[in-house]
Amino acid sequence: MPTVSVKKQQLFDLLGKNYTNDEFDELSFEFGIELDEDTTEEALKLGEEPEYKIEIGANRYDLLCIEGIAQSLNEYLGQSETPKYKLSKPTTKLIVDKETELVRPYCASAVLRNIKFTKESYASFIDLQDKLHSNLCRNRTLVAMGTHDMDTVQGPFHYRALPPKDIKFIPLNQTKEFRADELLEFYKTPEQKNNLGRFVHILEGKPVYPLITDDNDVICSMPPLINSEHTKITLDTKNVFIDITATDRTKAEIVLNILVSMFSRYCADPFTIEPVEIVSEHNGESRMLPDLTERKMQVSIPYINSCLGLEQTAEEISASLKKMSLHSVQSKEDKNMLDVSIPITRPDILHPCDIMEDAAVGYGYNNLPKSEKMSNANFISSPLPVNKISDIFRAASAQASWLEVMPLTLCSHDENFKFLRVEDDNTNAVKLANPKTLEYQVVRTTLLPGILKTVKENRKHTLPIKVFETGDVVFKNEKLERKAYNERHWAAIYAGKTSGFEIIQGLLAKVMQTFRTQWLPDFGAGSTGRGYWIEEDESLTTYFPGRGAKVMFRSKEGEKSIAIGSLGVLHPEVMKNFDVPYAGSFVELNTEVFL
Amino acid sequence: MSDFQLTILNKLGQLGEIKSTLEVFPSVESQDVLSALNSLKAHGKLEYTKHDIMHYDLSKEGQEVVDNGSHEIVLYNLINDLGKLQIKDVMSKMGANGKVGQARAFKNGWIVKNKENELELSEKVKSSTPVDETKILLQQIAKNEHSDIDAKVIADLKKRKLITPRKQTDYSVTKGVDFSLELTKLETDITSDMVVSGSYKDAKFKPYNFNSQGLPAASGALHPLNKVREEFRQIFFSMGFTEMPSNQYVETGFWNFDALYVPQQHPARDLQDTFYIKDPLTSDLPDDKVYLENIKAVHENGKFDSIGYRYNWKEVECQKLVLRTHTTAISANMLHKLAKNPKPARLFSIDRVFRNEAVDATHLAEFHQVEGVIADYNITLGDLIKFMEDFFAKMGVTGLRFKPTYNPYTEPSMEIFSYHEGLAKWVEIGNSGMFRPEMLESMGLPKDLRVLGWGLSLERPTMIKYKVQNIRELLGHKVSLDFIETNPAARLDEDLYD
């Protein structure tokens, strides 16, 4: 969730009241934003102005600046009406070249005429652009915006796409002219890398770069990277030309609407926006922007009442919705319907359920009638069978004096293979594409690495160390939709001065007995019924040669026996690889055979 | 039994009582006396009382006084012999002692000084030799007969360095209830032999020290996180919930995101937040092609009364494989199954989820999510609120408040808060909401079958319950086995948030 910093006193002035933190907390809570931090204490020390850090919903772009937060809260409190946004006469155009399709096909534009910035509103204007860039615009990949002093340029404007070598201009906050390809290199230097360098990848390798120019080929901006120094806006700028370029048309217009709805309040004619005619003949996208038309959505009154557990009239619901900036009247055609107008500041409303939610917030979540209906419903519960099997393993192991551990599922490739003296034949393990550390390269295919790491961390513990885990390993399987599946394993270790093989063997016997599975002598030959035995297996290279065996299981009379796991004395190299200075024995089974 | 113990018993038998062990056994060290007495006392043979007594030894100077008389009497004798003595000659005749003797003799009034600065005997002692008090006192003390000497006098002698004090411990001993001249051995434990033979009846038992913990029990133990998980499972079972098959860590982009109406450009789908899988690389698309078409439509252009997100939806994003970021991927799968035969259902899961996060004291790349899902006809937000109150009341958490919030796949969405007494503020304990119609109707669920969902992490309540500060010391290999061995029962209903 995004966090917005607002000057405390400025916010209180806009709300017409000095709130205590408790009061503001309470207001935020009911409205659905969160007071994260009050910086007063810190600010007083540093001689700065105290701020509130307010966490807002990730879909409420209209709350990304103090203007929007104050507007919405004032409407929620019934202290303000939703502004009526108006268009004035257009005076300029933005003409789109077909080449822009190669790099960034959509654009939008508007003019804020006769605006008067203060220090605060100017800072907020810049800050909102940053917030939008990093949230909705996905770090400028989807949308980027530029704002220009319109009195430095001459319309109509052009949205073009040119080869980098043909673009030369002085970028914002620089003194010398750069060629576009050189500019990208400049932004990749260590000083710029973490700043504008973060967006270089969006243009890198493209045959043409997008460009906004005026009618005299004066460059306004090279989106999504940088504006030109020439058109830089200042506190004294009177007329602001906004350019928006995008790969996502919907989001381009949302960004434009948010910018103009938040800052047209500072124009000489408040909430009036000068539109720009977008001329885009090659793709039939010619239109006048911004489009301030309020969206209409019909919502069923019984639907809202049914979801909220209320019996409200159309007027009552409308009153709740009004607090949330949604204006509604009962439909003339259908008494059961509410005609809702959605202002341009609320692109988050996608479905009647979003209106239903606002009706609930307007009413107050904590005022809703609590219903007893559900608590009395009759359902038959049941555990997941594999979890039930796990619990039997867990109880038996703990009863046999082993300690349960819960290591991580993810481990390094070496831990799952090389350290266990096992080759990766690429048939089993699921591998991660983008782990942040080497610790998380593969999803384990055995419980052993986690158990050995736990023993290592606890090597000062009294000996012997006896721990077990019941957990999932993951194997690849091409035939499945998800190409991989979990398998529930159980494993236990004995680590100490001696290997304790017979102790681990005894634990296996105890667990098997718990599952009504008796040991069969002579490697299964002694009986044809249900049972288990162990068979030496030289292919188990994790164990010391001659000390490793597979666990064989026959589920019932006449069934074929299958290997369900292994046990053995861990190879000293394995112990060393995990920094465990002890001898040890280990057993691991696939528990799902007992399902 | 030592010979000395027997000696004590014999002496006690002869004398009836021993008034002073110092007198009766003067050559035995005090410690040896005490240990023998204690041992006999434990057998009930005797009782004793301890007395600390002061004893004084004569210093070398003190012994000289006893042998030759006090310095003042030596001076008296000298003057008596010579008739008179020049003051300056006192030191030459008597050495260092002369000064003390002169002072004492003056004090006693034995000598006077004449006009020629000579010492002479006083009238008082001319006729009869004075009594040498100091010598007599020291003789008394040497015989250990100092009890009737005034404390001031003793202090004076100490000050004059004629005697040095020595503390001695003495015991007076009387017969105990089980006094006899021989000793039986004390038994420490009841043995099977005693039970069988009945010999315990005549045996004497050593008393127990009850101020102790006993030996640690040899035992295995279950992990605290799994104990809390079990508490949650029991709460779910008690409310009629069936456990979902959450044993599927690898998910497709489709089930983890698209099915939940998370748009394809949503930040949650970033490489920064989600583990993508490189081997295997791509998944199959879900078998249900109608469902797939619905999801495409509802994202791209809108459907089921939704205007949609209005972007180019790509199948290839669905086919990316990820480690699930939430168990809601499983819930979506279960709800899709439910759509084949729609009816009320209650489902839950408690299982691992994965986030590509930087690890710190409160964040791990994997953790457990507790998730509940309720599907029923025409359920209301009030139902959800009441149900959450019932659910959390089962772990002793009451007085909930609900805050509007945003989740991509629920609308309305409610964060659940409870008042934390310790922190004196409202803290978030879970998240909940009604699943979006875009998600449910795409599956084919009827409009009026609404679905509520809620979730919380398993680690957080466990960390509070067991006072664990660092999540890495709870989940993962850095856990301490001592902690696992000694952790108490989970009992969520017992002051969870104290």
Side-chain angles (χ1 to χ4, degrees):
Chain A
M1 298 276 190
T3 302
V4 183
S5 294
V6 301
K7 299 259 189 304
K8 228 167 120 172
Q9 193 53 50
Q10 195 191 348
L11 180 67
F12 292 164
D13 291 345
L14 289 168
L15 295 177
K17 177 182 167 182
N18 281 335
Y19 283 82
T20 64
N21 279 359
D22 280 348
E23 285 169 343
F24 191 76
D25 222 17
E26 186 69 24
L27 172 66
S28 303
F29 193 98
E30 293 300 324
F31 179 70
I33 57 180
E34 197 168 330
L35 175 57
D36 232 22
E37 197 188 332
D38 172 10
T39 69
T40 302
E41 215 168 290
E42 190 69 7
L44 287 180
K45 271 187 230 156
L46 300 169
E48 289 168 356
E49 218 183 304
E51 289 183 348
Y52 270 167
K53 292 193 172 153
I54 299 173
E55 199 183 286
I56 64 157
N59 61 343
R60 287 297 298 271
Y61 316 114
D62 61 314
L63 302 181
L64 284 169
C65 59
I66 188 169
E67 287 79 8
I69 291 174
Q71 180 67 42
S72 293
L73 287 177
N74 273 327
E75 289 182 47
Y76 177 74
L77 293 166
Q79 301 178 156
S80 173
E81 293 291 322
T82 310
K84 289 276 171 224
Y85 301 101
K86 298 181 296 286
L87 291 178
S88 59
K89 282 224 167 61
T91 64
T92 193
K93 297 176 185 180
L94 178 58
I95 301 157
V96 187
D97 285 5
K98 185 174 167 35
E99 286 70 29
T100 56
E101 283 183 335
L102 293 169
V103 52
R104 215 169 164 82
Y106 303 107
C107 67
S109 181
V111 174
L112 294 173
R113 190 62 77 179
N114 292 319
I115 196 164
K116 192 168 166 48
F117 283 120
T118 60
K119 218 174 117 223
E120 285 78 24
S121 62
Y122 181 80
S124 177
F125 190 50
I126 303 297
D127 199 41
L128 174 64
Q129 294 175 53
D130 281 347
K131 284 269 177 345
L132 286 168
H133 272 146
S134 58
N135 288 289
L136 179 62
C137 307
R138 304 307 314 287
N139 293 316
R140 308 192 186 186
T141 53
L142 301 179
V143 186
M145 68 208 85
T147 51
H148 312 278
D149 185 338
M150 203 169 175
D151 299 326
T152 65
V153 282
Q154 181 66 52
F157 297 88
H158 297 268
Y159 180 34
R160 301 185 156 128
L162 295 178
K165 291 197 164 51
D166 299 344
I167 303 172
K168 272 188 195 156
F169 68 111
I170 303 174
L172 187 63
N173 299 331
Q174 298 296 330
T175 47
K176 76 177 222 299
E177 192 174 76
F178 282 82
R179 209 171 67 191
D181 52 337
E182 294 163 352
L183 186 58
L184 257 65
E185 290 309 311
F186 172 68
Y187 287 141
K188 281 156 76 178
T189 58
E191 303 81 61
Q192 293 287 329
K193 202 175 70 197
N194 294 322
N195 187 12
L196 287 164
R198 292 182 295 139
F199 312 113
V200 165
H201 71 98
I202 306 172
L203 289 186
E204 224 174 7
K206 298 273 195 256
V208 289
Y209 291 177
L211 209 60
I212 302 278
T213 67
D214 80 346
D215 204 38
N216 301 319
D217 290 338
V218 172
I219 292 176
C220 301
S221 64
M222 186 175 82
L225 267 186
I226 189 79
N227 295 345
S228 76
E229 177 71 9
H230 180 80
T231 62
K232 183 175 176 174
I233 65 164
T234 66
L235 258 174
D236 302 322
T237 297
K238 297 270 180 303
N239 300 298
V240 177
F241 175 73
I242 300 169
D243 84 67
I244 308 252
T245 58
T247 56
D248 183 311
R249 186 181 183 273
T250 309
K251 291 192 169 63
E253 293 189 14
I254 292 173
V255 168
L256 181 67
N257 284 351
I258 295 293
L259 275 181
V260 299
S261 59
M262 292 301 127
F263 285 88
S264 58
R265 72 188 58 231
Y266 300 123
C267 291
D269 194 357
F271 304 113
T272 300
I273 298 123
E274 183 183 307
V276 173
E277 187 186 344
I278 310 293
V279 182
S280 187
E281 281 160 4
H282 65 281
N283 58 2
E285 288 281 341
S286 293
R287 63 207 193 280
M288 195 74 85
L289 284 179
D291 179 359
L292 303 183
T293 325
E294 292 199 333
R295 275 193 293 138
K296 303 285 178 199
M297 196 180 270
Q298 276 209 328
V299 191
S300 148
I301 294 166
Y303 164 71
I304 291 180
N305 275 330
S306 160
C307 286
L308 271 48
L310 295 170
E311 293 293 335
Q312 287 191 295
T313 64
E315 289 71 30
E316 286 166 332
I317 294 173
S318 288
S320 292
L321 289 176
K322 185 166 184 287
K323 294 169 80 176
M324 307 304 290
S325 315
L326 300 177
H327 298 271
S328 57
V329 287
Q330 197 163 16
S331 168
K332 293 207 170 65
E333 299 96 61
D334 184 347
K335 278 207 176 93
N336 279 329
M337 298 303 271
L338 214 51
D339 289 330
V340 185
S341 299
I342 302 156
I344 57 166
T345 49
R346 296 297 307 277
D348 58 296
I349 306 282
L350 304 176
H351 186 278
C353 73
D354 296 301
I355 294 171
M356 176 266 286
E357 180 185 62
D358 274 0
V361 177
Y363 187 86
Y365 277 2
N366 297 296
N367 301 327
L368 288 170
K370 292 167 194 171
S371 152
E372 296 281 348
K373 193 179 82 191
M374 290 228 308
S375 308
N376 303 324
N378 235 335
F379 289 89
I380 292 164
S381 64
S382 60
L384 187 68
V386 74
N387 287 350
K388 199 169 171 183
I389 298 293
S390 294
D391 286 348
I392 296 169
F393 269 101
R394 293 174 56 234
S397 308
Q399 284 158 5
S401 81
W402 263 256
L403 303 176
E404 184 175 34
V405 295
M406 295 179 81
L408 302 181
T409 312
L410 305 178
C411 60
S412 77
H413 188 274
D414 278 354
E415 285 165 352
N416 199 68
F417 293 104
K418 192 173 140 196
F419 288 3
L420 302 180
R421 297 169 33 92
V422 173
E423 287 282 323
D424 179 11
D425 60 5
N426 291 313
T427 59
N428 276 334
V430 167
K431 289 164 191 152
L432 305 191
N434 59 329
K436 288 201 171 93
T437 75
L438 293 180
E439 283 176 274
Y440 309 133
Q441 292 175 310
V442 298
V443 187
R444 63 186 179 183
T445 56
T446 159
L447 302 183
L448 183 53
I451 285 183
L452 280 173
K453 285 196 275 181
T454 312
V455 172
K456 179 204 162 184
E457 293 292 330
N458 285 280
R459 58 192 185 278
K460 302 247 164 68
H461 187 268
T462 330
L463 295 181
I465 293 171
K466 299 187 290 179
V467 298
F468 79 95
E469 182 190 1
T470 313
D472 283 356
V473 300
V474 174
F475 294 117
K476 294 204 287 186
N477 183 343
E478 262 307 303
K479 295 195 183 93
L480 302 170
E481 182 185 333
R482 293 162 180 85
K483 305 298 174 194
Y485 65 100
N486 287 24
E487 191 172 276
R488 185 67 48 87
H489 279 202
W490 167 81
I493 199 171
Y494 175 99
K497 294 284 177 203
T498 56
S499 80
F501 178 79
E502 287 180 323
I503 295 168
I504 278 294
Q505 212 182 351
L507 177 66
L508 173 67
K510 149 96 184 168
V511 160
M512 285 303 199
Q513 170 257 312
T514 310
F515 284 99
R516 300 175 189 278
T517 305
Q518 59 175 330
W519 179 72
L520 302 180
D522 304 325
F523 309 106
S527 152
T528 54
R530 181 181 172 94
Y532 84 98
W533 62 94
I534 61 176
E535 271 176 33
E536 185 177 344
D537 186 344
E538 283 298 321
S539 73
L540 300 168
T541 47
T542 301
Y543 301 117
F544 194 63
R547 297 280 189 278
K550 57 188 171 189
V551 178
M552 301 301 297
F553 171 64
R554 190 193 293 131
S555 62
K556 62 180 176 201
E557 183 79 39
E559 283 289 312
K560 246 187 93 185
S561 60
I562 51 164
I564 60 165
S566 70
L567 85 168
V569 177
L570 290 165
H571 199 290
E573 281 175 20
V574 171
M575 303 309 257
K576 281 212 142 157
N577 289 338
F578 284 90
D579 280 335
V580 174
Y582 306 124
S585 292
F586 179 70
V587 59
E588 178 161 3
L589 297 184
N590 169 14
T591 70
E592 298 185 14
V593 297
F594 296 109
L595 277 170
Chain B
M1 181 169 58
S2 70
D3 290 345
F4 182 53
Q5 288 182 25
L6 206 57
T7 310
I8 294 174
L9 289 182
N10 285 330
K11 216 53 174 170
L12 198 55
Q14 281 168 29
L15 301 174
E17 66 173 321
I18 299 170
K19 285 198 172 128
S20 163
T21 51
L22 277 178
E23 276 174 21
V24 180
F25 312 109
S27 58
V28 183
E29 286 292 325
S30 167
Q31 265 112 335
D32 296 339
V33 173
L34 178 64
S35 98
L37 289 177
N38 273 337
S39 182
L40 290 167
K41 187 184 174 186
H43 288 79
K45 297 287 174 194
L46 52 76
E47 295 293 333
Y48 69 85
T49 315
K50 183 181 164 201
H51 312 278
D52 281 332
I53 50 170
M54 288 310 276
H55 185 80
Y56 298 96
D57 294 325
L58 298 188
S59 65
K60 196 177 159 219
E61 196 180 338
Q63 192 57 49
E64 271 176 42
V65 170
V66 171
D67 294 343
N68 308 323
S70 65
H71 306 316
E72 54 269 30
I73 210 78
V74 170
L75 182 65
Y76 168 86
N77 288 335
L78 198 59
I79 298 173
N80 198 25
D81 289 348
L82 301 173
K84 52 193 172 194
L85 186 64
Q86 287 279 333
I87 288 181
K88 60 180 168 41
D89 290 338
V90 172
M91 291 288 274
S92 58
K93 299 268 182 201
M94 282 182 64
N97 295 338
K99 204 173 178 185
V100 181
Q102 183 184 319
R104 302 284 313 176
F106 267 121
K107 194 181 166 201
N108 291 350
W110 295 348
I111 54 173
V112 291
K113 196 167 68 176
N114 66 16
K115 285 173 187 138
E116 284 78 39
N117 225 11
E118 292 165 331
L119 300 176
E120 291 176 357
L121 295 183
S122 69
E123 290 303 319
K124 174 171 125 181
V125 291
K126 266 186 180 160
S127 48
S128 60
T129 309
V131 179
D132 189 353
E133 292 275 2
T134 308
K135 179 178 170 177
I136 292 165
L137 282 170
L138 290 179
Q139 279 171 334
Q140 247 180 294
I141 288 168
K143 281 190 273 175
N144 207 13
E145 289 168 0
H146 62 267
S147 51
D148 48 352
I149 302 176
D150 191 81
K152 272 189 187 161
V153 177
I154 294 277
D156 185 54
L157 291 173
K158 253 159 69 180
K159 203 174 150 197
R160 286 167 67 186
K161 297 204 170 96
L162 296 174
I163 57 173
T164 49
R166 176 161 54 88
K167 199 171 100 175
Q168 273 193 315
T169 307
D170 195 9
Y171 302 95
S172 59
V173 185
T174 56
K175 287 178 182 174
V177 282
D178 288 329
F179 178 79
S180 68
L181 289 181
E182 39 317 311
L183 260 185
T184 44
K185 182 173 162 277
L186 277 192
E187 299 292 349
T188 52
D189 203 358
I190 295 183
T191 64
S192 56
D193 286 347
M194 291 178 190
V195 173
V196 173
S197 68
S199 66
Y200 68 90
K201 291 177 198 156
D202 303 320
K204 297 284 175 200
F205 291 91
K206 209 177 163 188
Y208 267 158
N209 176 15
F210 287 103
N211 183 23
S212 64
Q213 286 205 73
L215 297 171
S219 73
L222 297 175
H223 195 287
L225 200 56
N226 265 340
K227 288 186 183 179
V228 173
R229 174 175 167 272
E230 187 54 23
E231 289 279 305
F232 274 109
R233 287 179 87 215
Q234 292 308 325
I235 291 172
F236 278 115
F237 289 142
S238 75
M239 298 176 99
F241 285 75
T242 287
E243 204 166 21
M244 289 189 263
S246 54
N247 50 341
Q248 178 69 43
Y249 294 160
V250 175
E251 266 301 347
T252 66
F254 180 84
W255 289 108
N256 198 71
F257 297 120
D258 293 280
L260 298 171
Y261 205 47
V262 178
Q264 293 185 333
Q265 315 84 350
H266 194 276
R269 300 177 81 143
D270 260 6
L271 291 167
Q272 287 304 309
D273 296 293
T274 299
F275 284 116
Y276 283 86
I277 289 167
K278 65 177 179 192
D279 180 17
L281 190 58
T282 49
S283 75
D284 294 341
L285 289 166
D287 290 337
D288 185 344
K289 297 305 168 205
V290 176
Y291 180 32
L292 187 66
E293 277 310 307
N294 282 343
I295 288 292
K296 177 181 161 71
V298 83
H299 277 251
E300 207 164 51
N301 301 311
K303 197 173 179 179
F304 311 112
D305 301 329
S306 175
I307 61 168
Y309 290 119
R310 294 151 287 146
Y311 68 99
N312 285 325
W313 182 87
K314 300 190 186 95
E315 256 180 22
V316 52
E317 291 293 326
C318 288
Q319 288 181 273
K320 287 183 175 167
L321 283 165
V322 301
L323 288 180
R324 67 167 179 224
T325 59
H326 43 203
T327 48
T328 320
I330 301 295
S331 305
N333 209 275
M334 295 303 288
L335 289 168
H336 177 249
K337 287 198 170 82
L338 187 71
K340 305 293 164 224
N341 177 22
K343 60 181 178 192
R346 288 186 177 191
L347 303 166
F348 83 96
S349 65
I350 305 170
D351 213 332
R352 272 184 214 218
V353 297
F354 302 84
R355 304 272 169 92
N356 197 6
E357 283 192 8
V359 171
D360 62 30
T362 51
H363 295 88
L364 269 183
E366 45 188 294
F367 58 95
H368 291 77
Q369 197 179 342
V370 179
E371 176 157 335
V373 171
I374 296 174
D376 212 335
Y377 290 102
N378 295 316
I379 35 181
T380 72
L381 219 45
D383 291 330
L384 176 58
I385 288 172
K386 178 68 171 74
F387 199 86
M388 287 301 95
E389 287 184 347
D390 292 349
F391 179 82
F392 282 99
K394 282 184 179 271
M395 44 175 134
V397 178
T398 54
L400 304 184
R401 280 172 82 205
F402 298 85
K403 175 181 162 294
T405 188
Y406 168 71
N407 301 316
Y409 44 91
T410 56
E411 189 85 359
S413 305
M414 307 197 295
E415 277 174 355
I416 306 160
F417 280 73
S418 98
Y419 192 76
H420 190 294
E421 294 290 345
L423 298 173
K425 66 171 188 181
W426 290 88
V427 292
E428 191 199 330
I429 57 170
N431 209 332
S432 66
M434 276 189 183
F435 285 113
R436 292 191 71 99
E438 288 98 328
M439 171 184 160
L440 302 178
E441 289 181 44
S442 293
M443 294 171 173
L445 283 164
K447 262 185 192 300
D448 56 351
L449 189 72
R450 296 193 194 124
V451 183
L452 308 176
W454 74 98
L456 60 152
S457 93
L458 178 64
E459 279 75 6
R460 210 179 118 104
T462 309
M463 287 169 80
I464 293 170
K465 189 82 211 171
Y466 287 100
K467 299 192 163 53
V468 176
Q469 302 295 327
N470 187 339
I471 191 169
R472 286 168 289 195
E473 288 163 15
L474 181 65
L475 181 64
H477 53 271
K478 290 193 172 141
V479 72
S480 148
L481 293 182
D482 296 329
F483 167 60
I484 293 185
E485 270 171 333
T486 56
N487 70 82
R491 299 190 61 187
L492 289 188
D493 54 332
E494 180 192 58
D495 298 321
L496 176 57
Y497 292 105
D498 64 347

